[in-house]
Amino acid sequence: MSSSETDEPQECPLCRDDAPIELPAYETWLQCDLCEEWYHGICVGISASECECIDKYHCRKCAETHGPSSYKGPALRRSGRGHADVDYNKLNEGQPATFNQYLLRLESGEFAEDEFEHLSDGSTVTAEWIRSRDTNDPFIVESATGLGMEMPNPSLTVKDIAAAIGKDTAVSVMDVLTQDELSGWTMGTWADYFHSTNRRRVLNVISMEVSDTDFGAKIQRPRVVDELDLVEKYWPEAKRKPNKFPRVKTYCLMSVQNAYTDFHVDFSATWVYYHVLSGEKVFYLVPPTPSNMRKYEAWSKSPEQAVTFFAESVKHCFEVRLVAGHTLFIPAGWIHAVFTPVDTIVIGGNFMAMQSLNAHIGTYKLEARTKVPVRYRFPFFIKLCRYMTELLAKRWAKLTARDKAKWTLDELEGAFVLASFLESKLIGDDCDPDIAKAVGDKTSLRKYAHNLLELVGVELVSRMVPEEWLNRESQLREGSHFRWVRPGMTHGSQLLATRPRRSRMAGATKTVDKTITKIREKAAKKTSRPKLVRGRPRSNTPDDTSSANTAAHEATLGELMTAGDMIAALGTGTRTKRSSDSNGSGSGEGDNDEDGETSDAGSDEGDGSDSSESSDGENFVVSDSDDGHRKAKRRKSIQVKSMSLHNGARHAQTIGQFKGARRRIAEQIKLKL
């Protein structure tokens, strides 16, 4: 066990023809103590540091008859899995060259436990149930009973599938180590590989669509999928021609043991259903928060994607284990990876839903930015958007108020984003040629998109407070398409979860999210709730009014007291501002009224602070308690002076101020409700 004694690189019995034996990784050799054959350490999966711990090395052939190698001291803890092949191209590029990199990451990773909803059967899984859910978390149905689907017998084998589809049918195979697609495979050669015991590499089949085959004709996907699928609802029957129609209904996934698919989002963030026919699957699910989607986009563009484990860069990554008979529904936008602990056959499919149309369009834009090849995107996506816009615009023009009320807020936002997306794509005559070909007559489609924007926009405005809609409209138009809605989350929190990313450039315009501003103001009011201080307001002038003036004064105080009580209850802390001189100090000089009358300032001499209290009646004073510097100063009560008949202008002005306060209180009550 030593490095090679010759200067010229040499091959060992386990080297492949394309092995780059000139690399430093091939300098470590091991000699079998029984047959005396020499092997590269990398070819037998033993590093140079491990060689120093081996006492007697037995090659694979000799270990079958004489037992395993012996070690100096305690034996090293080694995995019982067989040694994986080395990818020499990856090794040349300085990247991990064995599949064990994925296994080690999954075994050493810390994942959140499965906290999603588990249903005993599918009897409650309906389109209305999904539309009314208060979350977009995945859910698991443990029994197919009630889902209304038809699946093959669980004893089905890959050879049976090859016979039903045709052994000469081409199939796309993925190399798990490189996550690249392999060409030249047929169902016959794949069946031979799947049922063989000598698998030199770990391969996977995850993109074989079978809906137009005899095998697929025997499969009926869940009933709820047909009820929600936008392709089934909006693509015209007369235009469903072969190769010109999205075929993503039914997939047959065939994975061998240790197969792994790295983190990804299904094309256009489609919903996915997985029914495990036989075997097991482990899903690693990352929620589609705006932050996670930005990290995913950066990770997808990174040249170090192959050596970076995406789950380590996010806060939440849930581990979900499925066994035979389980059906998993993954909502739009969830980032996920899949590991196969044993040979497994899965029947699944993709579909788009109206309440997730926002995320579907957002992911289409993300795929364009990350330059995902066209063959890996949702087929005929723009054409589907065209058919939906035309049909929705026609239907919405005829809908009654009761029918419009049945649409959920998510569905309305999806229709608004759809029309806005197409309208932005069709601005100007120099739009993309492929898009122009897909949409056909741009003039008529612009008209449909504009009409749909107006119709849906009016309904959205009626569902929201105007200020809230102004904030949400900009988010929808600017591209805030992802959010993670958890059970029990309030609508305000959902708006925060979808706020657009602000620019951090030095010269960027500073914008403030109105929703965040409202929450900050609400928090500030909680900490500065006015106090009711017992006491009679001080009077600096004698009461010399007539009985008529006294009656008017009591009526005025009744109105002021009612407004003050409401202000104190809601925590608005309204106060009456005193007039002062240019230096801000109490001067004892009066303030001229409109009629030329002089009103007493009523403040002490030598005190330069503004008044912080206002009387709301004869026995209560409303005072702000959030200013700490006022604790060291004597609190002062400001008298609400009696209004005489000859001071009518001043009286009307005061009444108007409190009426304005009442209107502001009513608006705040409306916002809270």
Side-chain angles (χ1 to χ4, degrees):
M1 295 167 287
S2 63
S3 298
S4 175
E5 297 178 356
T6 62
D7 295 334
E8 294 295 329
Q10 298 180 7
E11 295 181 354
C12 77
L14 298 181
C15 283
R16 283 168 42 182
D17 295 338
D18 56 348
I21 57 177
E22 69 278 0
L23 294 181
Y26 287 84
E27 293 180 356
T28 301
W29 289 78
L30 293 93
Q31 183 185 34
C32 177
D33 289 285
L34 297 176
C35 65
E36 298 184 351
E37 187 67 63
W38 286 88
Y39 300 93
H40 289 124
I42 192 172
C43 292
V44 296
I46 298 178
S47 64
S49 59
E50 291 180 74
C51 291
E52 302 299 329
C53 302
I54 298 177
D55 183 26
K56 292 184 179 181
Y57 173 69
H58 296 172
C59 65
R60 295 181 183 179
K61 294 181 180 179
C62 296
E64 295 176 357
T65 56
H66 296 83
S69 305
S70 60
Y71 292 83
K72 301 173 183 177
L76 295 178
R77 183 181 178 184
R78 297 181 59 82
S79 173
R81 297 185 179 94
H83 171 65
D85 288 335
V86 177
D87 188 295
Y88 299 107
N89 293 327
K90 294 286 184 181
L91 192 64
N92 264 321
E93 297 171 1
Q95 299 181 6
T98 64
F99 170 70
N100 289 337
Q101 57 173 315
Y102 298 112
L103 298 180
L104 292 175
R105 290 170 178 173
L106 296 177
E107 290 176 354
S108 61
E110 296 182 1
F111 304 102
E113 295 182 357
D114 177 7
E115 59 180 40
F116 303 126
E117 189 172 8
H118 285 248
L119 305 174
S120 57
D121 57 48
S123 58
T124 60
V125 182
T126 62
E128 189 60 32
W129 178 79
I130 290 180
R131 292 175 67 243
S132 61
R133 291 182 77 209
D134 61 347
T135 176
N136 62 341
D137 282 348
F139 61 93
I140 299 95
V141 182
E142 298 180 350
S143 173
T145 305
L147 283 176
M149 65 180 184
E150 297 180 5
M151 291 291 164
N153 194 299
S155 61
L156 184 75
T157 65
V158 175
K159 289 185 177 180
D160 297 333
I161 298 174
I165 296 178
K167 294 184 177 181
D168 295 332
T169 303
V171 61
S172 176
V173 177
M174 186 185 73
D175 186 346
V176 172
L177 175 59
T178 62
Q179 296 288 296
D180 292 332
E181 183 179 352
L182 304 178
S183 59
W185 284 74
T186 64
M187 276 302 303
T189 56
W190 171 251
D192 293 338
Y193 163 82
F194 193 94
H195 291 284
S196 65
T197 56
N198 185 20
R199 299 167 180 166
R200 294 286 295 172
R201 301 183 73 82
V202 181
L203 306 178
N204 201 2
V205 171
I206 58 174
S207 58
M208 189 176 72
E209 217 281 338
V210 297
S211 59
D212 62 342
T213 65
D214 294 338
F215 174 72
K218 301 177 182 179
I219 299 174
Q220 176 61 46
R221 60 182 183 172
R223 179 178 54 253
V224 66
V225 176
D226 290 329
E227 295 173 357
L228 294 173
D229 192 1
L230 296 181
V231 176
E232 292 293 325
K233 295 171 67 175
Y234 291 98
W235 197 285
E237 288 284 349
K239 297 183 179 180
R240 300 186 181 185
K241 301 178 181 179
N243 300 325
K244 294 185 178 180
F245 171 73
R247 291 196 305 110
V248 295
K249 291 177 58 175
T250 310
Y251 286 90
C252 182
L253 295 80
M254 298 164 282
S255 308
V256 300
Q257 183 181 14
N258 292 336
Y260 174 78
T261 305
D262 210 354
F263 285 94
H264 64 282
V265 178
D266 283 86
F267 42 49
S268 295
T270 49
W271 281 63
V272 187
Y273 75 91
Y274 286 94
H275 177 74
V276 182
L277 201 62
S278 60
E280 299 177 18
K281 284 283 187 180
V282 183
F283 284 79
Y284 300 92
L285 300 163
V286 176
T289 64
S291 174
N292 289 344
M293 297 306 295
R294 289 194 295 269
K295 293 177 181 177
Y296 173 75
E297 181 176 352
W299 176 76
S300 300
K301 297 177 180 178
S302 173
E304 298 182 354
Q305 179 182 7
V307 295
T308 306
F309 193 48
F310 177 71
E312 296 175 351
S313 63
V314 298
K315 183 177 180 181
H316 297 95
C317 183
F318 300 93
E319 183 181 60
V320 177
R321 294 182 175 272
L322 305 179
V323 297
H326 284 188
T327 305
L328 171 66
F329 287 83
I330 303 178
W334 278 75
I335 309 165
H336 56 281
V338 189
F339 176 69
T340 309
V342 297
D343 293 355
T344 304
I345 299 177
V346 170
I347 301 296
N350 300 73
F351 63 98
M352 298 172 65
M354 179 61 71
Q355 64 263 33
S356 307
L357 194 55
N358 196 346
H360 298 322
I361 294 175
T363 306
Y364 175 85
K365 296 178 180 179
L366 187 149
E367 291 169 345
R369 292 194 302 268
T370 55
K371 299 180 180 180
V372 175
V374 176
R375 66 179 183 276
Y376 295 133
R377 302 187 193 182
F378 191 90
F380 307 104
F381 182 82
I382 296 295
K383 186 170 288 189
L384 174 62
C385 291
R386 165 198 166 188
Y387 291 144
M388 289 182 61
T389 302
E390 292 178 354
L391 194 55
L392 283 173
K394 294 176 181 177
R395 289 180 179 177
W396 263 81
K398 301 177 182 179
L399 286 181
T400 63
R402 177 177 296 181
D403 294 332
K404 293 178 181 179
K406 295 179 181 179
W407 280 58
T408 66
L409 192 60
D410 289 335
E411 291 172 338
L412 290 173
E413 289 184 352
F416 186 88
V417 171
L418 170 67
S420 177
F421 167 69
L422 273 187
E423 192 178 53
S424 64
K425 285 287 184 182
L426 300 177
I427 292 178
D429 297 327
D430 55 346
C431 67
D432 188 271
D434 295 334
I435 295 177
K437 183 178 180 181
V439 300
D441 186 1
K442 293 192 295 183
T443 303
S444 62
L445 189 56
R446 283 196 191 101
K447 179 181 177 181
Y448 286 126
H450 179 72
N451 292 342
L452 184 59
L453 269 178
E454 288 188 348
L455 293 170
V456 176
V458 170
E459 183 66 21
L460 280 170
V461 170
S462 67
R463 302 272 188 103
M464 300 182 185
V465 177
E467 183 176 303
E468 179 185 335
W469 165 242
L470 289 176
N471 181 45
R472 187 60 180 148
E473 181 185 16
S474 62
Q475 291 180 353
L476 296 176
R477 289 184 179 275
E478 291 173 8
S480 176
H481 302 290
F482 303 100
R483 63 183 174 186
W484 179 27
V485 182
R486 310 207 68 181
M489 182 180 288
T490 62
H491 181 63
S493 300
Q494 293 181 25
L495 292 178
L496 284 180
T498 57
R499 64 182 185 272
R501 186 183 186 184
R502 295 178 182 80
S503 175
R504 298 184 180 180
M505 300 293 291
T509 303
K510 185 176 181 180
T511 59
V512 179
D513 193 313
K514 294 182 180 180
T515 308
I516 297 177
T517 303
K518 287 166 55 181
I519 291 178
R520 289 175 178 171
E521 291 177 352
K522 185 176 180 181
K525 290 174 184 177
K526 287 184 178 179
T527 59
S528 61
R529 185 175 295 277
K531 294 190 292 186
L532 294 179
V533 182
R534 290 279 180 181
R536 191 178 186 86
R538 292 177 296 180
S539 177
N540 294 334
T541 58
D543 188 5
D544 56 354
T545 58
S546 63
S547 59
N549 293 346
T550 304
H553 173 55
E554 291 176 353
T556 303
L557 287 182
E559 293 184 8
L560 300 181
M561 192 171 184
T562 304
D565 290 341
M566 292 178 66
I567 293 171
L570 291 175
T572 55
T574 305
R575 62 184 181 181
T576 304
K577 185 176 181 181
R578 300 288 306 199
S579 60
S580 59
D581 58 6
S582 59
N583 296 328
S585 61
S587 61
E589 296 180 0
D591 192 16
N592 291 332
D593 293 334
E594 294 179 3
D595 296 337
E597 297 291 333
T598 302
S599 59
D600 188 7
S603 59
D604 296 340
E605 294 183 359
D607 191 354
S609 61
D610 290 338
S611 174
S612 62
E613 300 176 351
S614 63
S615 173
D616 65 342
E618 201 171 9
N619 297 320
F620 296 98
V621 175
V622 180
S623 63
D624 274 341
S625 59
D626 57 313
D627 293 336
H629 68 277
R630 297 179 183 177
K631 293 182 180 179
K633 297 182 179 181
R634 179 170 57 89
R635 296 188 176 274
K636 298 183 296 182
S637 299
I638 300 178
Q639 176 187 11
V640 178
K641 299 184 61 178
S642 301
M643 298 293 181
S644 59
L645 293 176
H646 67 274
N647 198 14
R650 189 70 172 177
H651 173 74
Q653 181 180 0
T654 305
I655 294 298
Q657 290 177 354
F658 280 95
K659 286 184 178 180
R662 285 179 177 176
R663 286 195 295 270
R664 290 193 296 273
I665 293 169
E667 292 176 359
Q668 291 185 7
I669 293 175
K670 183 177 179 182
L671 284 175
K672 291 186 178 182
L673 295 178

